[in-house]
Amino acid sequence: VSRPLTASVGRPAQYEPPPLYRIRATSLFDAGLQQGRMAGTRIRGWLSTPEMKGLRNYTDTDGAAGFSQLKRDNADTFPQLVRELEGVASGAGVPPDDIWRATMINELESLRSTAPGAWHAGHCSDVYAVPPGGYSAGFAHGHNEDWPGPIWQYWYFVAYSAAPGADFASCAGAVYPGGLLGWAASWNARGLYLTQNSLFPKRNLPGGLSSAFVQRAALCGAGGGEAAAGSLDELVGALSTPRGGLGWSSAASLNLVSLVERRMANLEVHLDKHARREVREEEVAGEGRSGGGGAAGGANYSPLNAF
């Protein structure tokens, strides 16, 4: 049996599972608007935390130029996804810049963490497993969603269903409040699933593409009729190929699962470079056989969030 998602968050014993908001729409603006209305209390709660207030202070002062450039680069490259963010802001009754910050938290905190004296915490980790007998006998992927702090009180799941005539593809996953669907554990309607482990490289650019935008576009399309990825190779290609001459602003370790193809891979991306490792079945010699060959063996891989 393939098990695409096992998520956990540091939390007290009385933790309540996050809600699932089911949304049916024909445009990404309307999908975002509905999300903002449904999740408004959680979005506003997350934006009021010390972490997000600190990020707002950073983008209003030392990080202002980088924040503005990141907005320009991603708005030029992903205009339909920006319409979704505008819908979320309108539905939740918050300034659009707050939603931009929530979406680009990966890049903004990476830029802030490279300042003298800055400190950052580690985040998620993943485990891949294939039993003896290979993928045909089953496979599993586990993800630990452990962003520190009070995020466990506010995050939620969203399922977008494209109504007839919609110009976007259906997509679902976990959402950091107000952020773009596709950055945390997410999946599309074609059997592809991804998670992200945050990385904090020493070199980050105050401009370029945000991981949340690239991941969403790669997995589920960027709207405007763009199709979702249909294979592991298509997903890797979309994640690692620059758009509009721009590479990533920062970095991420991406964990990819194709349920239909029975394949799994880890992809690390930093700026305009990437490295891929596919979790392949080991070949083990069959008993009583000569001349090579044999049955498919098991495999496991555990990427951690550090260069």
PDB file of all heavy atoms in Angstrom, residues 21-32 34 84 158-172 181 187-190 216 220-228:
ATOM      1  N   TYR A  21     -10.767  22.944   4.143  1.00  0.00           N
ATOM      2  CA  TYR A  21     -11.691  23.829   3.443  1.00  0.00           C
ATOM      3  C   TYR A  21     -11.802  23.378   1.986  1.00  0.00           C
ATOM      4  O   TYR A  21     -10.815  23.388   1.249  1.00  0.00           O
ATOM      5  CB  TYR A  21     -11.190  25.276   3.497  1.00  0.00           C
ATOM      6  CG  TYR A  21     -11.030  25.812   4.904  1.00  0.00           C
ATOM      7  CD1 TYR A  21      -9.805  26.305   5.352  1.00  0.00           C
ATOM      8  CD2 TYR A  21     -12.104  25.825   5.792  1.00  0.00           C
ATOM      9  CE1 TYR A  21      -9.657  26.796   6.634  1.00  0.00           C
ATOM     10  CE2 TYR A  21     -11.966  26.315   7.089  1.00  0.00           C
ATOM     11  CZ  TYR A  21     -10.745  26.797   7.501  1.00  0.00           C
ATOM     12  OH  TYR A  21     -10.597  27.278   8.780  1.00  0.00           O
ATOM     13  N   ARG A  22     -12.994  22.971   1.601  1.00  0.00           N
ATOM     14  CA  ARG A  22     -13.245  22.533   0.228  1.00  0.00           C
ATOM     15  C   ARG A  22     -13.802  23.704  -0.578  1.00  0.00           C
ATOM     16  O   ARG A  22     -14.808  24.299  -0.198  1.00  0.00           O
ATOM     17  CB  ARG A  22     -14.220  21.354   0.207  1.00  0.00           C
ATOM     18  CG  ARG A  22     -13.671  20.104   0.906  1.00  0.00           C
ATOM     19  CD  ARG A  22     -14.612  18.924   0.763  1.00  0.00           C
ATOM     20  NE  ARG A  22     -14.109  17.739   1.432  1.00  0.00           N
ATOM     21  CZ  ARG A  22     -13.252  16.872   0.892  1.00  0.00           C
ATOM     22  NH1 ARG A  22     -12.823  17.084  -0.354  1.00  0.00           N
ATOM     23  NH2 ARG A  22     -12.835  15.820   1.559  1.00  0.00           N
ATOM     24  N   ILE A  23     -13.130  23.998  -1.681  1.00  0.00           N
ATOM     25  CA  ILE A  23     -13.460  25.190  -2.470  1.00  0.00           C
ATOM     26  C   ILE A  23     -13.640  24.804  -3.931  1.00  0.00           C
ATOM     27  O   ILE A  23     -12.785  24.126  -4.509  1.00  0.00           O
ATOM     28  CB  ILE A  23     -12.348  26.246  -2.317  1.00  0.00           C
ATOM     29  CG1 ILE A  23     -12.314  26.759  -0.864  1.00  0.00           C
ATOM     30  CG2 ILE A  23     -12.534  27.390  -3.308  1.00  0.00           C
ATOM     31  CD1 ILE A  23     -11.122  27.617  -0.540  1.00  0.00           C
ATOM     32  N   ARG A  24     -14.730  25.243  -4.514  1.00  0.00           N
ATOM     33  CA  ARG A  24     -15.017  25.009  -5.928  1.00  0.00           C
ATOM     34  C   ARG A  24     -15.147  26.372  -6.603  1.00  0.00           C
ATOM     35  O   ARG A  24     -15.905  27.234  -6.134  1.00  0.00           O
ATOM     36  CB  ARG A  24     -16.315  24.209  -6.082  1.00  0.00           C
ATOM     37  CG  ARG A  24     -16.656  23.777  -7.491  1.00  0.00           C
ATOM     38  CD  ARG A  24     -17.901  22.885  -7.458  1.00  0.00           C
ATOM     39  NE  ARG A  24     -18.356  22.488  -8.772  1.00  0.00           N
ATOM     40  CZ  ARG A  24     -17.872  21.462  -9.457  1.00  0.00           C
ATOM     41  NH1 ARG A  24     -16.913  20.712  -8.922  1.00  0.00           N
ATOM     42  NH2 ARG A  24     -18.342  21.155 -10.645  1.00  0.00           N
ATOM     43  N   ALA A  25     -14.395  26.589  -7.668  1.00  0.00           N
ATOM     44  CA  ALA A  25     -14.356  27.918  -8.276  1.00  0.00           C
ATOM     45  C   ALA A  25     -13.999  27.813  -9.751  1.00  0.00           C
ATOM     46  O   ALA A  25     -13.561  26.762 -10.235  1.00  0.00           O
ATOM     47  CB  ALA A  25     -13.333  28.799  -7.550  1.00  0.00           C
ATOM     48  N   THR A  26     -14.184  28.912 -10.472  1.00  0.00           N
ATOM     49  CA  THR A  26     -13.796  28.971 -11.885  1.00  0.00           C
ATOM     50  C   THR A  26     -12.592  29.867 -12.103  1.00  0.00           C
ATOM     51  O   THR A  26     -12.005  29.863 -13.181  1.00  0.00           O
ATOM     52  CB  THR A  26     -14.960  29.481 -12.757  1.00  0.00           C
ATOM     53  OG1 THR A  26     -15.375  30.775 -12.284  1.00  0.00           O
ATOM     54  CG2 THR A  26     -16.140  28.516 -12.710  1.00  0.00           C
ATOM     55  N   SER A  27     -12.211  30.652 -11.103  1.00  0.00           N
ATOM     56  CA  SER A  27     -11.029  31.514 -11.224  1.00  0.00           C
ATOM     57  C   SER A  27     -10.214  31.427  -9.950  1.00  0.00           C
ATOM     58  O   SER A  27     -10.742  31.133  -8.862  1.00  0.00           O
ATOM     59  CB  SER A  27     -11.436  32.974 -11.471  1.00  0.00           C
ATOM     60  OG  SER A  27     -11.961  33.556 -10.286  1.00  0.00           O
ATOM     61  N   LEU A  28      -8.922  31.695 -10.060  1.00  0.00           N
ATOM     62  CA  LEU A  28      -8.062  31.654  -8.890  1.00  0.00           C
ATOM     63  C   LEU A  28      -8.368  32.791  -7.925  1.00  0.00           C
ATOM     64  O   LEU A  28      -8.217  32.638  -6.714  1.00  0.00           O
ATOM     65  CB  LEU A  28      -6.593  31.683  -9.315  1.00  0.00           C
ATOM     66  CG  LEU A  28      -6.090  30.374  -9.929  1.00  0.00           C
ATOM     67  CD1 LEU A  28      -4.664  30.538 -10.461  1.00  0.00           C
ATOM     68  CD2 LEU A  28      -6.145  29.237  -8.912  1.00  0.00           C
ATOM     69  N   PHE A  29      -8.818  33.934  -8.438  1.00  0.00           N
ATOM     70  CA  PHE A  29      -9.212  35.015  -7.528  1.00  0.00           C
ATOM     71  C   PHE A  29     -10.366  34.559  -6.648  1.00  0.00           C
ATOM     72  O   PHE A  29     -10.359  34.769  -5.429  1.00  0.00           O
ATOM     73  CB  PHE A  29      -9.600  36.277  -8.297  1.00  0.00           C
ATOM     74  CG  PHE A  29     -10.056  37.397  -7.385  1.00  0.00           C
ATOM     75  CD1 PHE A  29      -9.135  38.234  -6.774  1.00  0.00           C
ATOM     76  CD2 PHE A  29     -11.412  37.583  -7.119  1.00  0.00           C
ATOM     77  CE1 PHE A  29      -9.557  39.251  -5.913  1.00  0.00           C
ATOM     78  CE2 PHE A  29     -11.836  38.593  -6.255  1.00  0.00           C
ATOM     79  CZ  PHE A  29     -10.906  39.428  -5.659  1.00  0.00           C
ATOM     80  N   ASP A  30     -11.381  33.931  -7.258  1.00  0.00           N
ATOM     81  CA  ASP A  30     -12.531  33.473  -6.475  1.00  0.00           C
ATOM     82  C   ASP A  30     -12.125  32.370  -5.497  1.00  0.00           C
ATOM     83  O   ASP A  30     -12.601  32.333  -4.359  1.00  0.00           O
ATOM     84  CB  ASP A  30     -13.639  32.979  -7.399  1.00  0.00           C
ATOM     85  CG  ASP A  30     -14.888  32.564  -6.624  1.00  0.00           C
ATOM     86  OD1 ASP A  30     -15.292  33.303  -5.706  1.00  0.00           O
ATOM     87  OD2 ASP A  30     -15.447  31.497  -6.931  1.00  0.00           O
ATOM     88  N   ALA A  31     -11.235  31.464  -5.921  1.00  0.00           N
ATOM     89  CA  ALA A  31     -10.753  30.416  -5.015  1.00  0.00           C
ATOM     90  C   ALA A  31     -10.064  31.047  -3.811  1.00  0.00           C
ATOM     91  O   ALA A  31     -10.281  30.641  -2.658  1.00  0.00           O
ATOM     92  CB  ALA A  31      -9.808  29.477  -5.751  1.00  0.00           C
ATOM     93  N   GLY A  32      -9.210  32.046  -4.062  1.00  0.00           N
ATOM     94  CA  GLY A  32      -8.535  32.733  -2.968  1.00  0.00           C
ATOM     95  C   GLY A  32      -9.503  33.494  -2.083  1.00  0.00           C
ATOM     96  O   GLY A  32      -9.366  33.510  -0.855  1.00  0.00           O
ATOM     97  N   GLN A  34     -12.649  32.791  -1.475  1.00  0.00           N
ATOM     98  CA  GLN A  34     -13.339  31.829  -0.610  1.00  0.00           C
ATOM     99  C   GLN A  34     -12.426  31.340   0.511  1.00  0.00           C
ATOM    100  O   GLN A  34     -12.852  31.204   1.661  1.00  0.00           O
ATOM    101  CB  GLN A  34     -13.833  30.643  -1.430  1.00  0.00           C
ATOM    102  CG  GLN A  34     -14.933  30.968  -2.425  1.00  0.00           C
ATOM    103  CD  GLN A  34     -15.423  29.717  -3.129  1.00  0.00           C
ATOM    104  OE1 GLN A  34     -15.815  28.737  -2.497  1.00  0.00           O
ATOM    105  NE2 GLN A  34     -15.393  29.736  -4.457  1.00  0.00           N
ATOM    106  N   GLU A  84      -4.804  35.016  -7.048  1.00  0.00           N
ATOM    107  CA  GLU A  84      -5.263  34.187  -5.929  1.00  0.00           C
ATOM    108  C   GLU A  84      -4.900  34.835  -4.599  1.00  0.00           C
ATOM    109  O   GLU A  84      -5.731  34.899  -3.675  1.00  0.00           O
ATOM    110  CB  GLU A  84      -4.654  32.792  -6.013  1.00  0.00           C
ATOM    111  CG  GLU A  84      -5.064  31.878  -4.872  1.00  0.00           C
ATOM    112  CD  GLU A  84      -4.438  30.499  -4.972  1.00  0.00           C
ATOM    113  OE1 GLU A  84      -4.115  30.052  -6.087  1.00  0.00           O
ATOM    114  OE2 GLU A  84      -4.274  29.858  -3.909  1.00  0.00           O
ATOM    115  N   VAL A 158      -6.518  22.857   2.364  1.00  0.00           N
ATOM    116  CA  VAL A 158      -7.402  23.411   1.333  1.00  0.00           C
ATOM    117  C   VAL A 158      -7.467  22.431   0.171  1.00  0.00           C
ATOM    118  O   VAL A 158      -6.437  21.854  -0.225  1.00  0.00           O
ATOM    119  CB  VAL A 158      -6.895  24.778   0.834  1.00  0.00           C
ATOM    120  CG1 VAL A 158      -7.596  25.179  -0.461  1.00  0.00           C
ATOM    121  CG2 VAL A 158      -7.130  25.857   1.878  1.00  0.00           C
ATOM    122  N   ALA A 159      -8.656  22.241  -0.369  1.00  0.00           N
ATOM    123  CA  ALA A 159      -8.830  21.445  -1.593  1.00  0.00           C
ATOM    124  C   ALA A 159      -9.541  22.309  -2.617  1.00  0.00           C
ATOM    125  O   ALA A 159     -10.704  22.682  -2.431  1.00  0.00           O
ATOM    126  CB  ALA A 159      -9.640  20.183  -1.301  1.00  0.00           C
ATOM    127  N   TYR A 160      -8.824  22.686  -3.674  1.00  0.00           N
ATOM    128  CA  TYR A 160      -9.403  23.443  -4.780  1.00  0.00           C
ATOM    129  C   TYR A 160      -9.928  22.472  -5.826  1.00  0.00           C
ATOM    130  O   TYR A 160      -9.176  21.637  -6.343  1.00  0.00           O
ATOM    131  CB  TYR A 160      -8.351  24.317  -5.458  1.00  0.00           C
ATOM    132  CG  TYR A 160      -7.980  25.589  -4.746  1.00  0.00           C
ATOM    133  CD1 TYR A 160      -6.908  26.362  -5.201  1.00  0.00           C
ATOM    134  CD2 TYR A 160      -8.675  26.045  -3.633  1.00  0.00           C
ATOM    135  CE1 TYR A 160      -6.555  27.541  -4.576  1.00  0.00           C
ATOM    136  CE2 TYR A 160      -8.319  27.216  -2.993  1.00  0.00           C
ATOM    137  CZ  TYR A 160      -7.258  27.961  -3.462  1.00  0.00           C
ATOM    138  OH  TYR A 160      -6.904  29.135  -2.841  1.00  0.00           O
ATOM    139  N   SER A 161     -11.206  22.583  -6.167  1.00  0.00           N
ATOM    140  CA  SER A 161     -11.790  21.810  -7.259  1.00  0.00           C
ATOM    141  C   SER A 161     -12.141  22.768  -8.383  1.00  0.00           C
ATOM    142  O   SER A 161     -12.876  23.743  -8.168  1.00  0.00           O
ATOM    143  CB  SER A 161     -13.047  21.067  -6.797  1.00  0.00           C
ATOM    144  OG  SER A 161     -12.721  20.087  -5.837  1.00  0.00           O
ATOM    145  N   ALA A 162     -11.585  22.501  -9.558  1.00  0.00           N
ATOM    146  CA  ALA A 162     -11.846  23.363 -10.709  1.00  0.00           C
ATOM    147  C   ALA A 162     -13.248  23.084 -11.253  1.00  0.00           C
ATOM    148  O   ALA A 162     -13.545  21.973 -11.692  1.00  0.00           O
ATOM    149  CB  ALA A 162     -10.804  23.116 -11.789  1.00  0.00           C
ATOM    150  N   ALA A 163     -14.115  24.070 -11.189  1.00  0.00           N
ATOM    151  CA  ALA A 163     -15.475  23.938 -11.716  1.00  0.00           C
ATOM    152  C   ALA A 163     -15.431  23.995 -13.244  1.00  0.00           C
ATOM    153  O   ALA A 163     -14.432  24.437 -13.839  1.00  0.00           O
ATOM    154  CB  ALA A 163     -16.359  25.052 -11.164  1.00  0.00           C
ATOM    155  N   PRO A 164     -16.491  23.549 -13.933  1.00  0.00           N
ATOM    156  CA  PRO A 164     -16.523  23.635 -15.399  1.00  0.00           C
ATOM    157  C   PRO A 164     -16.230  25.053 -15.869  1.00  0.00           C
ATOM    158  O   PRO A 164     -16.786  26.024 -15.350  1.00  0.00           O
ATOM    159  CB  PRO A 164     -17.954  23.203 -15.737  1.00  0.00           C
ATOM    160  CG  PRO A 164     -18.339  22.285 -14.626  1.00  0.00           C
ATOM    161  CD  PRO A 164     -17.700  22.873 -13.395  1.00  0.00           C
ATOM    162  N   GLY A 165     -15.319  25.170 -16.828  1.00  0.00           N
ATOM    163  CA  GLY A 165     -14.927  26.473 -17.345  1.00  0.00           C
ATOM    164  C   GLY A 165     -13.791  27.125 -16.594  1.00  0.00           C
ATOM    165  O   GLY A 165     -13.352  28.227 -16.962  1.00  0.00           O
ATOM    166  N   ALA A 166     -13.284  26.478 -15.558  1.00  0.00           N
ATOM    167  CA  ALA A 166     -12.185  27.059 -14.775  1.00  0.00           C
ATOM    168  C   ALA A 166     -10.910  27.110 -15.600  1.00  0.00           C
ATOM    169  O   ALA A 166     -10.663  26.262 -16.463  1.00  0.00           O
ATOM    170  CB  ALA A 166     -11.945  26.238 -13.510  1.00  0.00           C
ATOM    171  N   ASP A 167     -10.069  28.120 -15.320  1.00  0.00           N
ATOM    172  CA  ASP A 167      -8.792  28.262 -16.029  1.00  0.00           C
ATOM    173  C   ASP A 167      -7.625  27.824 -15.154  1.00  0.00           C
ATOM    174  O   ASP A 167      -6.495  28.266 -15.339  1.00  0.00           O
ATOM    175  CB  ASP A 167      -8.591  29.705 -16.509  1.00  0.00           C
ATOM    176  CG  ASP A 167      -8.494  30.693 -15.351  1.00  0.00           C
ATOM    177  OD1 ASP A 167      -8.749  30.296 -14.186  1.00  0.00           O
ATOM    178  OD2 ASP A 167      -8.174  31.876 -15.615  1.00  0.00           O
ATOM    179  N   PHE A 168      -7.893  26.952 -14.163  1.00  0.00           N
ATOM    180  CA  PHE A 168      -6.828  26.430 -13.313  1.00  0.00           C
ATOM    181  C   PHE A 168      -7.099  24.961 -13.043  1.00  0.00           C
ATOM    182  O   PHE A 168      -8.215  24.459 -13.257  1.00  0.00           O
ATOM    183  CB  PHE A 168      -6.734  27.212 -11.993  1.00  0.00           C
ATOM    184  CG  PHE A 168      -7.928  27.043 -11.093  1.00  0.00           C
ATOM    185  CD1 PHE A 168      -7.945  26.065 -10.106  1.00  0.00           C
ATOM    186  CD2 PHE A 168      -9.045  27.858 -11.221  1.00  0.00           C
ATOM    187  CE1 PHE A 168      -9.032  25.901  -9.269  1.00  0.00           C
ATOM    188  CE2 PHE A 168     -10.142  27.703 -10.387  1.00  0.00           C
ATOM    189  CZ  PHE A 168     -10.139  26.715  -9.415  1.00  0.00           C
ATOM    190  N   ALA A 169      -6.079  24.252 -12.580  1.00  0.00           N
ATOM    191  CA  ALA A 169      -6.196  22.828 -12.293  1.00  0.00           C
ATOM    192  C   ALA A 169      -6.495  22.605 -10.816  1.00  0.00           C
ATOM    193  O   ALA A 169      -6.070  23.376  -9.955  1.00  0.00           O
ATOM    194  CB  ALA A 169      -4.902  22.108 -12.670  1.00  0.00           C
ATOM    195  N   SER A 170      -7.225  21.539 -10.519  1.00  0.00           N
ATOM    196  CA  SER A 170      -7.519  21.188  -9.129  1.00  0.00           C
ATOM    197  C   SER A 170      -6.220  20.926  -8.372  1.00  0.00           C
ATOM    198  O   SER A 170      -5.238  20.425  -8.929  1.00  0.00           O
ATOM    199  CB  SER A 170      -8.417  19.957  -9.073  1.00  0.00           C
ATOM    200  OG  SER A 170      -9.670  20.212  -9.687  1.00  0.00           O
ATOM    201  N   CYS A 171      -6.220  21.251  -7.070  1.00  0.00           N
ATOM    202  CA  CYS A 171      -5.006  21.156  -6.268  1.00  0.00           C
ATOM    203  C   CYS A 171      -5.407  21.111  -4.806  1.00  0.00           C
ATOM    204  O   CYS A 171      -6.445  21.677  -4.427  1.00  0.00           O
ATOM    205  CB  CYS A 171      -4.128  22.381  -6.531  1.00  0.00           C
ATOM    206  SG  CYS A 171      -2.416  22.263  -5.972  1.00  0.00           S
ATOM    207  N   ALA A 172      -4.635  20.441  -3.981  1.00  0.00           N
ATOM    208  CA  ALA A 172      -4.965  20.347  -2.552  1.00  0.00           C
ATOM    209  C   ALA A 172      -3.695  20.221  -1.725  1.00  0.00           C
ATOM    210  O   ALA A 172      -2.649  19.810  -2.224  1.00  0.00           O
ATOM    211  CB  ALA A 172      -5.886  19.157  -2.290  1.00  0.00           C
ATOM    212  N   LEU A 181      -1.092  27.848  -1.576  1.00  0.00           N
ATOM    213  CA  LEU A 181      -1.205  26.396  -1.651  1.00  0.00           C
ATOM    214  C   LEU A 181      -0.114  25.863  -2.569  1.00  0.00           C
ATOM    215  O   LEU A 181       0.103  26.380  -3.660  1.00  0.00           O
ATOM    216  CB  LEU A 181      -2.589  26.045  -2.208  1.00  0.00           C
ATOM    217  CG  LEU A 181      -2.876  24.592  -2.576  1.00  0.00           C
ATOM    218  CD1 LEU A 181      -2.788  23.698  -1.356  1.00  0.00           C
ATOM    219  CD2 LEU A 181      -4.255  24.481  -3.225  1.00  0.00           C
ATOM    220  N   TRP A 187      -0.685  18.052  -3.248  1.00  0.00           N
ATOM    221  CA  TRP A 187      -0.816  17.027  -4.288  1.00  0.00           C
ATOM    222  C   TRP A 187      -1.761  17.517  -5.374  1.00  0.00           C
ATOM    223  O   TRP A 187      -2.564  18.433  -5.162  1.00  0.00           O
ATOM    224  CB  TRP A 187      -1.314  15.709  -3.690  1.00  0.00           C
ATOM    225  CG  TRP A 187      -2.555  15.808  -2.848  1.00  0.00           C
ATOM    226  CD1 TRP A 187      -3.837  15.623  -3.239  1.00  0.00           C
ATOM    227  CD2 TRP A 187      -2.608  16.126  -1.441  1.00  0.00           C
ATOM    228  NE1 TRP A 187      -4.701  15.793  -2.174  1.00  0.00           N
ATOM    229  CE2 TRP A 187      -3.970  16.102  -1.059  1.00  0.00           C
ATOM    230  CE3 TRP A 187      -1.630  16.421  -0.486  1.00  0.00           C
ATOM    231  CZ2 TRP A 187      -4.387  16.369   0.236  1.00  0.00           C
ATOM    232  CZ3 TRP A 187      -2.053  16.691   0.815  1.00  0.00           C
ATOM    233  CH2 TRP A 187      -3.410  16.655   1.169  1.00  0.00           C
ATOM    234  N   ASN A 188      -1.636  16.928  -6.560  1.00  0.00           N
ATOM    235  CA  ASN A 188      -2.517  17.300  -7.663  1.00  0.00           C
ATOM    236  C   ASN A 188      -3.442  16.138  -8.011  1.00  0.00           C
ATOM    237  O   ASN A 188      -3.421  15.088  -7.360  1.00  0.00           O
ATOM    238  CB  ASN A 188      -1.710  17.797  -8.870  1.00  0.00           C
ATOM    239  CG  ASN A 188      -0.902  16.707  -9.565  1.00  0.00           C
ATOM    240  OD1 ASN A 188      -1.115  15.506  -9.369  1.00  0.00           O
ATOM    241  ND2 ASN A 188       0.045  17.121 -10.395  1.00  0.00           N
ATOM    242  N   ALA A 189      -4.257  16.325  -9.046  1.00  0.00           N
ATOM    243  CA  ALA A 189      -5.250  15.312  -9.422  1.00  0.00           C
ATOM    244  C   ALA A 189      -4.668  14.235 -10.330  1.00  0.00           C
ATOM    245  O   ALA A 189      -5.401  13.352 -10.784  1.00  0.00           O
ATOM    246  CB  ALA A 189      -6.434  15.988 -10.113  1.00  0.00           C
ATOM    247  N   ARG A 190      -3.344  14.297 -10.585  1.00  0.00           N
ATOM    248  CA  ARG A 190      -2.709  13.341 -11.488  1.00  0.00           C
ATOM    249  C   ARG A 190      -1.758  12.396 -10.755  1.00  0.00           C
ATOM    250  O   ARG A 190      -0.901  11.769 -11.358  1.00  0.00           O
ATOM    251  CB  ARG A 190      -1.985  14.102 -12.601  1.00  0.00           C
ATOM    252  CG  ARG A 190      -2.905  15.060 -13.366  1.00  0.00           C
ATOM    253  CD  ARG A 190      -2.197  15.804 -14.476  1.00  0.00           C
ATOM    254  NE  ARG A 190      -1.882  14.928 -15.589  1.00  0.00           N
ATOM    255  CZ  ARG A 190      -1.208  15.323 -16.680  1.00  0.00           C
ATOM    256  NH1 ARG A 190      -0.768  16.572 -16.770  1.00  0.00           N
ATOM    257  NH2 ARG A 190      -0.952  14.473 -17.649  1.00  0.00           N
ATOM    258  N   ARG A 216       3.973  25.591  -6.633  1.00  0.00           N
ATOM    259  CA  ARG A 216       2.563  25.527  -7.029  1.00  0.00           C
ATOM    260  C   ARG A 216       2.421  25.418  -8.543  1.00  0.00           C
ATOM    261  O   ARG A 216       1.626  24.612  -9.060  1.00  0.00           O
ATOM    262  CB  ARG A 216       1.849  26.775  -6.508  1.00  0.00           C
ATOM    263  CG  ARG A 216       0.454  26.979  -7.054  1.00  0.00           C
ATOM    264  CD  ARG A 216      -0.557  25.894  -6.642  1.00  0.00           C
ATOM    265  NE  ARG A 216      -1.872  26.283  -7.136  1.00  0.00           N
ATOM    266  CZ  ARG A 216      -2.657  27.170  -6.541  1.00  0.00           C
ATOM    267  NH1 ARG A 216      -2.267  27.739  -5.395  1.00  0.00           N
ATOM    268  NH2 ARG A 216      -3.824  27.484  -7.056  1.00  0.00           N
ATOM    269  N   CYS A 220       0.692  22.041  -9.865  1.00  0.00           N
ATOM    270  CA  CYS A 220      -0.714  22.205 -10.245  1.00  0.00           C
ATOM    271  C   CYS A 220      -0.941  23.202 -11.368  1.00  0.00           C
ATOM    272  O   CYS A 220      -2.092  23.509 -11.701  1.00  0.00           O
ATOM    273  CB  CYS A 220      -1.525  22.633  -9.028  1.00  0.00           C
ATOM    274  SG  CYS A 220      -1.515  21.430  -7.677  1.00  0.00           S
ATOM    275  N   GLY A 221       0.123  23.724 -11.966  1.00  0.00           N
ATOM    276  CA  GLY A 221      -0.043  24.742 -12.993  1.00  0.00           C
ATOM    277  C   GLY A 221      -0.205  26.116 -12.366  1.00  0.00           C
ATOM    278  O   GLY A 221      -0.597  26.251 -11.206  1.00  0.00           O
ATOM    279  N   ALA A 222       0.093  27.151 -13.154  1.00  0.00           N
ATOM    280  CA  ALA A 222       0.070  28.522 -12.647  1.00  0.00           C
ATOM    281  C   ALA A 222      -1.195  29.255 -13.031  1.00  0.00           C
ATOM    282  O   ALA A 222      -1.254  30.481 -12.966  1.00  0.00           O
ATOM    283  CB  ALA A 222       1.292  29.285 -13.160  1.00  0.00           C
ATOM    284  N   GLY A 223      -2.244  28.534 -13.430  1.00  0.00           N
ATOM    285  CA  GLY A 223      -3.464  29.186 -13.878  1.00  0.00           C
ATOM    286  C   GLY A 223      -3.359  29.592 -15.338  1.00  0.00           C
ATOM    287  O   GLY A 223      -2.367  29.317 -16.017  1.00  0.00           O
ATOM    288  N   GLY A 224      -4.397  30.221 -15.841  1.00  0.00           N
ATOM    289  CA  GLY A 224      -4.394  30.619 -17.241  1.00  0.00           C
ATOM    290  C   GLY A 224      -4.421  29.435 -18.183  1.00  0.00           C
ATOM    291  O   GLY A 224      -3.976  29.536 -19.331  1.00  0.00           O
ATOM    292  N   GLY A 225      -4.939  28.304 -17.716  1.00  0.00           N
ATOM    293  CA  GLY A 225      -5.017  27.111 -18.547  1.00  0.00           C
ATOM    294  C   GLY A 225      -3.782  26.240 -18.517  1.00  0.00           C
ATOM    295  O   GLY A 225      -3.740  25.208 -19.194  1.00  0.00           O
ATOM    296  N   GLU A 226      -2.758  26.621 -17.740  1.00  0.00           N
ATOM    297  CA  GLU A 226      -1.535  25.811 -17.660  1.00  0.00           C
ATOM    298  C   GLU A 226      -1.835  24.486 -16.979  1.00  0.00           C
ATOM    299  O   GLU A 226      -2.471  24.441 -15.927  1.00  0.00           O
ATOM    300  CB  GLU A 226      -0.456  26.570 -16.906  1.00  0.00           C
ATOM    301  CG  GLU A 226       0.872  25.845 -16.816  1.00  0.00           C
ATOM    302  CD  GLU A 226       1.950  26.683 -16.145  1.00  0.00           C
ATOM    303  OE1 GLU A 226       2.064  27.884 -16.480  1.00  0.00           O
ATOM    304  OE2 GLU A 226       2.655  26.149 -15.275  1.00  0.00           O
ATOM    305  N   ALA A 227      -1.369  23.385 -17.569  1.00  0.00           N
ATOM    306  CA  ALA A 227      -1.666  22.050 -17.051  1.00  0.00           C
ATOM    307  C   ALA A 227      -0.796  21.716 -15.856  1.00  0.00           C
ATOM    308  O   ALA A 227       0.334  22.211 -15.712  1.00  0.00           O
ATOM    309  CB  ALA A 227      -1.472  21.004 -18.144  1.00  0.00           C
ATOM    310  N   ALA A 228      -1.315  20.853 -14.988  1.00  0.00           N
ATOM    311  CA  ALA A 228      -0.540  20.320 -13.883  1.00  0.00           C
ATOM    312  C   ALA A 228       0.440  19.272 -14.392  1.00  0.00           C
ATOM    313  O   ALA A 228       0.235  18.663 -15.443  1.00  0.00           O
ATOM    314  CB  ALA A 228      -1.477  19.688 -12.844  1.00  0.00           C
TER     315      ALA A 228
END
